[in-house]
Amino acid sequence: MSAIVIVQPDETWPAQYEKTAETIHRILGSTAVRVDHIGSTSVPGLPAKDILDIQATVATEPALDDAAQLLVAADWELRPPRRDHPVPGLPKDEGQWVKRLVVEPMYRRRVNLHIRVDGRANQRYALLFRDYLRAHPDTAAAYGEFKRRAASLPFDGVGDYADLKDPVCDLVYLPAEEWATRTGWSA
């Protein structure tokens, strides 16, 4: 049984991201189009697992493996999954959801680095989800409460926790799409 620990927001998460992003930029060089802080630690005031989620965006699908191999050569560990869950109402094409996931070298700051292709649905999802929660603190608070309660459930692994969160994230994301259209949001 896996314990999921949700902690209070840490005001140093953005600085921790900046330091880690510098390392990622140094390793990936021009392979990365951009590197962004995503996930709950990127939303001020949102409780989260004390793991930085970072998204490295690459220009093409073949660059996913190029980036992953550069990171593996720097002692990062390649992990499953190789795709994100498709979101209701968004493209079902498998290529829209492909990614690589690597985690930090041993004994370093915990990081999940999601490598996604520029302009694909999953790359946009992570950025819009983050920005919508930043702009809607009440929604972020409700999402944080869900995460606290979900973390108290018995899980066989962190994947089960993520599977439970996926449809809840989609419930946040779908109005975020309307907000993006209304406000002219862009990544």
Side-chain angles (χ1 to χ4, degrees):
M1 180 135 36
S2 176
I4 307 299
V5 178
I6 302 296
V7 301
Q8 289 302 311
D10 182 338
E11 64 187 33
T12 69
W13 283 335
Q16 292 175 36
Y17 156 74
E18 290 294 337
K19 183 176 179 182
T20 306
E22 288 175 16
T23 300
I24 293 166
H25 277 294
R26 204 169 33 255
I27 294 167
L28 295 181
S30 62
T31 304
V33 173
R34 62 188 284 175
V35 175
D36 294 284
H37 191 186
I38 61 168
S40 296
T41 61
S42 72
V43 179
L46 183 58
K49 294 188 311 274
D50 190 23
I51 300 170
L52 296 179
D53 279 293
I54 298 176
Q55 177 171 268
T57 300
V58 297
T60 64
E61 196 163 321
L64 287 170
D65 288 322
D66 296 341
Q69 289 312 308
L70 287 168
L71 289 154
V72 166
D75 293 327
W76 290 63
E77 182 183 338
L78 183 62
R79 295 257 179 100
R82 297 179 64 86
R83 67 188 279 293
D84 290 305
H85 79 284
V87 177
L90 295 183
K92 294 185 184 342
D93 171 37
E94 186 78 21
Q96 292 293 316
W97 305 102
V98 66
K99 76 171 184 179
R100 298 297 178 269
L101 177 65
V102 294
V103 297
E104 78 291 338
M106 192 177 293
Y107 307 115
R108 299 241 181 106
R109 204 286 172 234
R110 287 292 326 268
V111 174
N112 289 331
L113 178 57
H114 308 262
I115 308 168
R116 297 180 174 117
V117 179
D118 193 26
R120 299 276 175 93
N122 61 350
Q123 185 258 354
R124 184 178 188 279
Y125 183 106
L127 300 173
L128 178 53
F129 186 85
R130 174 200 66 196
D131 290 353
Y132 184 78
L133 288 179
R134 285 176 173 174
H136 296 85
D138 290 341
T139 302
Y143 177 56
E145 183 58 26
F146 166 77
K147 288 171 28 146
R148 269 195 220 97
R149 291 180 187 197
S152 70
L153 299 172
F155 291 106
D156 288 332
V158 73
D160 292 338
Y161 172 76
D163 289 345
L164 178 65
K165 281 190 348 179
D166 284 346
V168 173
C169 291
D170 295 347
L171 286 170
V172 172
Y173 182 80
L174 295 171
E177 280 287 357
E178 294 171 14
W179 172 78
T181 300
R182 190 173 65 255
T183 64
W185 176 89
S186 65

